[in-house]
Amino acid sequence: MLITLALITLGLPLLAFLLIVFATHRNKMFSATIAIVAMAIAMILAFVVFAQVMAGQTASFEFNWLRLYPGNTPTVNGVQTWLPIGIAVDSLAAIMLIVVTVVSFLVHVYSRSYMIEHGHLDGGYSRFFAYLSLFTFSMLAVVLADNMLFFFIGWELVGLCSYLLIGFWYERTERRGVHLLPPWVAAKKAFLTTRVGDVGFLIGLIILWNRGGTLQLSDLFQQAQSHSGGLWDPSLLGQPALFWACLCMFAGAVGKSGQFPLHVWLPDAMEGPTPVSALIHAATMVAAGVYLVARTYPLFQAVPTALTVVAIIGGFTAIFAASMGLATNDIKRVLAYSTVSQLGYMMLALGAGSIAAGMFHLFTHAFFKALLFLCAGSVIHAVGTNDLAEMGGLRKYMPRTYWTMLIGALSLVGFPAFSGFWSKDEVLAADASAAEYILLAFAVITVFLTGFYTFRMFFLTFHGAYRGPVAAAVEESHPERVEAETHEGGLHESDGFMTIPLIILAIPAALVGFWGSPLLNYGFQRFLEGASYENIEPNFLLATVSSVLAILGIAGAWVWYGARAYVREPLLRFGAAYRVLNRRYYIDELYMWLIDKLVIGVGLALSIFDRGGLDQVGNGLALGIGGAGGGLRKIQTGRVQNYGLVLFGGMAVIALVFLLVPQLRP
């Protein structure tokens, strides 16, 4: 029964995709309805699966897919004779089913109105919902996979769908507002950057297959825990093969979850429609990287050095991305840097040895980050720009968006009692328990930065005076008419299809963290790890310090952006430091320089060597052989007299040789 429900949940978005593509794509509203209904049913079934897993049920199902060796024996030379694929339902999968289906359903509902502009359906309306459905199916495949082969198939489909959705408006080539790249370039950048990590992931799978003889997670876990099999053979620098396999798989997670140094694609992915950004940042693309480490956690636990690498990358990324969020004027890019930073928190928790803390933060983050992105989309839909400098004063016109975004922002910064507070402090406590004090310092400083950049964005959007195009045109001649013209210019709250998902998401964004709090005896953690969960004692001092820093960050943002009219960016007074942050530490420029000068330069040199050297040698040999053949061709005259003359001449030469050189005579 459990497997049947899981398979139906997995199949519904795929069915919606197929129906839209092959049957209903001409009827745009019907296509949207099919996608929304399919996701609604999938969400309900996900809750049923979750309830059954809470009751203690787990299940798995697999079938043999490809035969590798003939015969009926299960293994040949320690390698499986079949490649199986299948699904497994456990507590980790059940949690992710809830995250993916709930967020995806609300994004589908929200998109119904968001993809309507000035009363007209977007030209790719049906295509958009088809892509959303395929995206959800791909992530569900990742969640339910019981072996790394099926996991990798879903993983690559997630990458493909993100490429299609980021570049959804591929025909738009202009740079709008504070956007840096046209959508099709941003999509290509995301696809190629994540492929770099995916090459590492694939190498890791090859190592697992070559040394472990299987890609079944249960078999690999058994080998890792028992220190048996080829996974423990030293392969390089004295490290076991399992260490390098984990490191390569983590490279895939670094790419998908936008961790340093493969973070560069994530801010530019904001060129896609905002519902796509919400889905990518909350429940699919970036969550897949953290889920990869969590799903294969027994492998990482077996080689603690690999976990140390995870913690270092995560801790550095958390503060690194937060600093860039300070100097960004695109409302969606602020949230994108926030996502990179919060994913760093999750990786830090996993690297510190706490899968419960890492997944708890992923769980709460999914709801408040989806809420924040959809609120940003509501704002963009109203004002027609992403630029924070052209917003302001919107709380008067968009009260539902204002209050729901406030809830999401408070949860993101870890304000006491909100969801992010409980999960963030679990991460900090796990890091303190692991005695990673430098990384803990990074995480604590990040709390202040998060509070500052989040409410800088919030105050610039909703407080002060409206600074949009209407205000700019009227203010010089008739300042008193700004508010009237603004109201007449069309600023208003979004419709129910957009605001109801915001209200629904605001509830878990505020309250879902209590499930994993000490007040409810760490229910989330106990559900995830069961009897193996070891409670980390609450660190009240650390919780107090982080709460104070979050509040100080909010207060600093209020003093600089909320309490006075926004005229000029206050951070500009820091000169070079601001420019470095605004230009993302010039890492994009560095990568482009390396590509232009190194990769393209080496390619050009090899091209010259190939065309001017190897090709000329080959062409010379071909000409020489051709010339020799042309000369020999003249021997073939077809006349018997000529052949007889040649035969006689040859015999005469041989006789002359024997006459002149007696030693050659027989």
Side-chain angles (χ1 to χ4, degrees):
M1 179 64 175
L2 191 60
I3 289 297
T4 302
L5 291 173
L7 285 173
I8 296 173
T9 304
L10 175 64
L12 280 168
L14 179 61
L15 177 61
F17 167 75
L18 295 174
L19 287 175
I20 293 171
V21 170
F22 295 107
T24 68
H25 59 278
R26 295 184 184 279
N27 190 327
K28 295 179 179 180
M29 292 305 298
F30 190 49
S31 296
T33 302
I34 289 175
I36 292 170
V37 170
M39 280 314 308
I41 299 173
M43 180 181 65
I44 294 170
L45 294 179
F47 275 102
V48 175
V49 170
F50 179 78
Q52 293 190 8
V53 174
M54 284 201 76
Q57 297 185 44
T58 59
S60 62
F61 166 78
E62 66 180 32
F63 64 93
N64 291 327
W65 183 41
L66 292 175
R67 180 184 287 277
L68 302 177
Y69 297 94
N72 296 320
T73 56
T75 61
V76 173
N77 298 325
V79 179
Q80 288 180 303
T81 57
W82 283 90
L83 275 178
I85 60 174
I87 67 171
V89 181
D90 58 7
S91 56
L92 181 59
I95 288 169
M96 288 302 296
L97 280 178
I98 295 298
V99 169
V100 175
T101 56
V102 170
V103 173
S104 182
F105 168 68
L106 293 174
V107 166
H108 275 70
V109 174
Y110 180 94
S111 300
R112 182 200 174 278
S113 287
Y114 186 86
M115 298 305 290
I116 301 175
E117 189 170 357
H118 303 302
H120 299 286
L121 298 181
D122 188 277
Y125 199 81
S126 293
R127 175 167 55 91
F128 181 79
F129 281 94
Y131 288 168
L132 282 185
S133 297
L134 183 62
F135 204 3
T136 305
F137 162 77
S138 304
M139 187 61 193
L140 289 176
V142 169
V143 168
L144 292 171
D146 77 332
N147 64 83
M148 295 310 296
L149 174 63
F150 191 30
F151 192 108
F152 190 71
I153 293 171
W155 179 275
E156 290 303 309
L157 280 174
V158 166
L160 171 64
C161 293
S162 68
Y163 167 77
L164 295 173
L165 285 165
I166 293 169
F168 180 77
W169 286 319
Y170 60 88
E171 72 281 0
R172 298 182 180 179
T173 57
E174 74 279 8
R175 297 182 177 184
R176 302 185 308 131
V178 291
H179 286 203
L180 301 177
L181 296 175
W184 66 272
V185 176
K188 184 169 65 173
K189 182 177 181 180
F191 188 78
L192 293 177
T193 305
T194 54
R195 293 290 75 70
V196 173
D198 288 356
V199 169
F201 188 8
L202 183 59
I203 293 172
L205 297 188
I206 292 171
I207 295 173
L208 291 177
W209 175 263
N210 182 263
R211 295 300 184 94
T214 180
L215 292 177
Q216 291 298 111
L217 287 169
S218 56
D219 296 337
L220 291 170
F221 294 163
Q222 185 176 5
Q223 291 184 38
Q225 292 166 1
S226 62
H227 283 60
S228 62
L231 292 176
W232 292 97
D233 295 339
S235 58
L236 183 64
L237 301 177
Q239 294 289 345
L242 181 58
F243 168 79
W244 299 108
C246 288
L247 222 57
C248 289
M249 289 192 296
F250 180 61
V254 167
K256 276 287 193 292
S257 290
Q259 301 293 281
F260 178 86
L262 298 180
H263 64 283
V264 293
W265 70 270
L266 202 51
D268 290 320
M270 300 302 96
E271 302 298 336
T274 301
V276 174
S277 303
L279 198 57
I280 287 177
H281 286 252
T284 53
M285 181 79 165
V286 299
V290 177
Y291 182 75
L292 168 62
V293 179
R295 175 50 76 191
T296 59
Y297 204 63
L299 302 181
F300 282 85
Q301 280 182 311
V303 279
T305 310
L307 280 181
T308 301
V309 174
V310 174
I312 292 172
I313 295 294
F316 176 76
T317 302
I319 191 170
F320 175 74
S323 66
M324 290 185 285
L326 299 172
T328 302
N329 284 329
D330 184 313
I331 186 172
K332 288 172 63 177
R333 278 185 171 80
V334 174
L335 295 175
Y337 286 123
S338 167
T339 299
V340 176
S341 180
Q342 297 304 306
L343 291 167
Y345 268 125
M346 299 170 206
M347 292 295 188
L348 175 59
L350 293 171
S354 178
I355 185 175
M359 287 304 300
F360 184 34
H361 197 50
L362 185 151
F363 182 67
T364 61
H365 176 268
F367 296 108
F368 64 70
K369 187 50 63 68
L371 172 60
L372 286 168
F373 265 108
L374 295 185
C375 286
S378 178
V379 170
I380 294 167
H381 200 260
V383 300
T385 179
N386 293 31
D387 195 345
L388 292 170
E390 296 183 4
M391 297 181 188
L394 297 180
R395 70 185 186 278
K396 294 180 291 185
Y397 310 103
M398 309 181 73
R400 282 172 287 178
T401 301
Y402 172 79
W403 288 109
T404 52
M405 195 166 193
L406 177 61
I407 291 172
L410 290 172
S411 189
L412 170 60
V413 304
F415 195 84
F418 285 80
S419 293
F421 168 78
W422 303 109
S423 58
K424 175 207 64 181
D425 280 355
E426 274 288 292
V427 173
L428 297 179
D431 202 35
S433 298
E436 299 284 354
Y437 296 117
I438 295 178
L439 298 179
L440 177 61
F442 284 173
V444 171
I445 295 171
T446 302
V447 173
F448 171 79
L449 298 179
T450 304
F452 186 87
Y453 72 68
T454 300
F455 275 85
R456 169 184 177 270
M457 171 197 69
F458 184 79
F459 293 139
L460 286 178
T461 302
F462 292 104
H463 288 256
Y466 179 64
R467 303 177 297 276
V470 174
V474 177
E475 187 173 15
E476 291 187 7
S477 56
H478 300 284
E480 72 282 356
R481 291 176 50 196
V482 169
E483 184 170 347
E485 292 287 344
T486 299
H487 182 72
E488 293 173 8
L491 281 185
H492 56 80
E493 184 62 272
S494 302
D495 67 17
F497 280 99
M498 293 176 66
T499 56
I500 289 175
L502 304 184
I503 296 169
I504 294 174
L505 279 170
I507 297 171
L511 302 177
V512 78
F514 282 99
W515 184 25
S517 71
L519 302 177
L520 294 181
N521 196 27
Y522 304 99
F524 177 94
Q525 296 88 325
R526 295 186 186 281
F527 171 73
L528 180 64
E529 295 194 44
S532 63
Y533 174 66
E534 296 181 4
N535 182 31
I536 299 175
E537 290 298 323
N539 192 320
F540 294 107
L541 175 62
L542 199 56
T544 302
V545 170
S546 66
S547 298
V548 170
L549 287 175
I551 294 171
L552 287 176
I554 297 171
W558 170 256
V559 170
W560 280 22
Y561 298 97
R564 59 183 181 180
Y566 177 79
V567 179
R568 186 172 183 267
E569 174 58 63
L571 291 174
L572 286 173
R573 70 185 64 176
F574 294 100
Y578 177 83
R579 286 193 299 273
V580 169
L581 295 179
N582 185 257
R583 297 296 294 272
R584 313 176 190 181
Y585 293 94
Y586 295 95
I587 291 178
D588 288 77
E589 286 83 351
L590 173 63
Y591 286 173
M592 288 308 301
W593 183 87
L594 290 173
I595 292 172
D596 289 341
K597 304 300 182 183
L598 185 62
V599 178
I600 296 179
V602 171
L604 180 61
L606 291 175
S607 175
I608 294 172
F609 173 72
D610 178 51
R611 296 177 182 179
L614 295 180
D615 281 2
Q616 295 305 316
V617 171
N619 293 338
L621 288 173
L623 288 173
I625 294 172
L632 292 173
R633 189 184 303 117
K634 297 177 180 179
I635 298 174
Q636 302 294 331
T637 63
R639 297 179 179 179
V640 177
Q641 306 94 301
N642 292 349
Y643 297 155
L645 181 61
V646 172
L647 179 62
F648 175 78
M651 292 176 64
V653 170
I654 294 172
L656 182 61
V657 170
F658 283 146
L659 181 64
L660 297 176
V661 187
Q663 294 84 351
L664 295 177
R665 298 172 189 172

